[in-house]
Amino acid sequence: AGAGVPAAIGSKYFRGPATSGDYTKTGAADTDWTLVSADIYFNVANYGAAGDGVTDDRAAIQLAITDAAIFGGTVFFPSGAAYVCGFDGANAPSFDLTGMSNIRFLGAGQGGSMLVHTGNAAGTKRVLFRLDTTSSIEFEGLIFSQAGLSNPLAGACHLFEALDDVDITKII
C-alpha cells in the first residue's frame, strides 16, 4: 500500500478500488503505509471538529455520526487532539445513538484521540453516549474523560448509558 508515494509521517492517503482504503504514513520509506480502515470513513475534522481542547466539537461530531448512521462506517478522530463534547438541555446526552447500527468510533490510540465531556452538569444526569436499541457499535483507540464537567451529580454522570436491546461489539 502506498508504494512509491512520498509523504510526511502521519499523512493520510486514499487508494482507489484496486486496493481501496484509507492509509496513514507510518515510517520514512515510501512503502511505510498502514491501512486505517477499509470501510466508509467519516473524519470528524472534515466536518469541522477543531480538536483543540477548547472549542465544543459536538455539532461537527454529530454530523459525522449522522452520516455514519446512514451509510454505516467509521467515525474517525485524528491523533493528537482533544475533542470537546458539551450537551444541550437537562438530562440530554451529548450523543444519542438510539436505533443506530454498524458504526465504529476509531481514535488514534493511547495518547492520541481524547473525547472530553464538558459543561456545567448543574447537579443533573449527564451522559456522553446514550445507546438504546443499537447493534454493532464499536469504540476503539479513544480516550474518554469527564474532567471537563463542573457541578456533577454524584453517580449520575456517565460515559455510556445503555437502555434497551444494546449490542456494543467492542470497546478497546
Side-chain angles (χ1 to χ4, degrees):
V5 180
I9 294 174
S11 296
K12 305 297 181 211
Y13 177 69
F14 176 76
R15 291 188 56 120
T19 55
S20 65
D22 292 306
Y23 293 82
T24 297
K25 183 73 168 163
T26 56
D30 289 350
T31 56
D32 290 340
W33 291 88
T34 301
L35 178 65
V36 175
S37 173
D39 61 3
I40 300 173
Y41 188 87
F42 304 94
N43 185 328
V44 298
N46 294 341
Y47 289 83
D52 60 8
V54 178
T55 305
D56 188 344
D57 296 310
R58 190 173 53 84
I61 295 168
Q62 185 60 59
L63 288 172
I65 291 170
T66 299
D67 281 354
I70 293 168
F71 301 105
T74 298
V75 177
F76 179 69
F77 298 83
S79 66
Y83 299 92
V84 173
C85 307
F87 44 80
D88 283 331
N91 299 321
S94 294
F95 305 106
D96 192 343
L97 306 181
T98 298
M100 296 183 186
S101 61
N102 301 314
I103 300 175
R104 180 178 176 214
F105 294 86
L106 177 64
Q110 186 66 25
S113 306
M114 179 181 290
L115 296 181
V116 182
H117 202 193
T118 63
N120 184 349
T124 61
K125 180 173 88 172
R126 295 294 173 199
V127 174
L128 187 57
F129 288 95
R130 176 177 290 149
L131 301 110
D132 188 7
T133 59
T134 62
S135 64
S136 299
I137 303 293
E138 297 181 7
F139 295 90
E140 183 176 345
L142 289 165
I143 301 165
F144 300 100
S145 170
Q146 290 188 310
L149 285 178
S150 60
N151 301 312
L153 180 63
C157 294
H158 308 285
L159 295 172
F160 300 97
E161 177 182 55
L163 298 174
D164 187 38
D165 193 23
V166 174
D167 173 22
I168 300 175
T169 307
K170 65 180 173 181
I171 299 177
I172 296 177

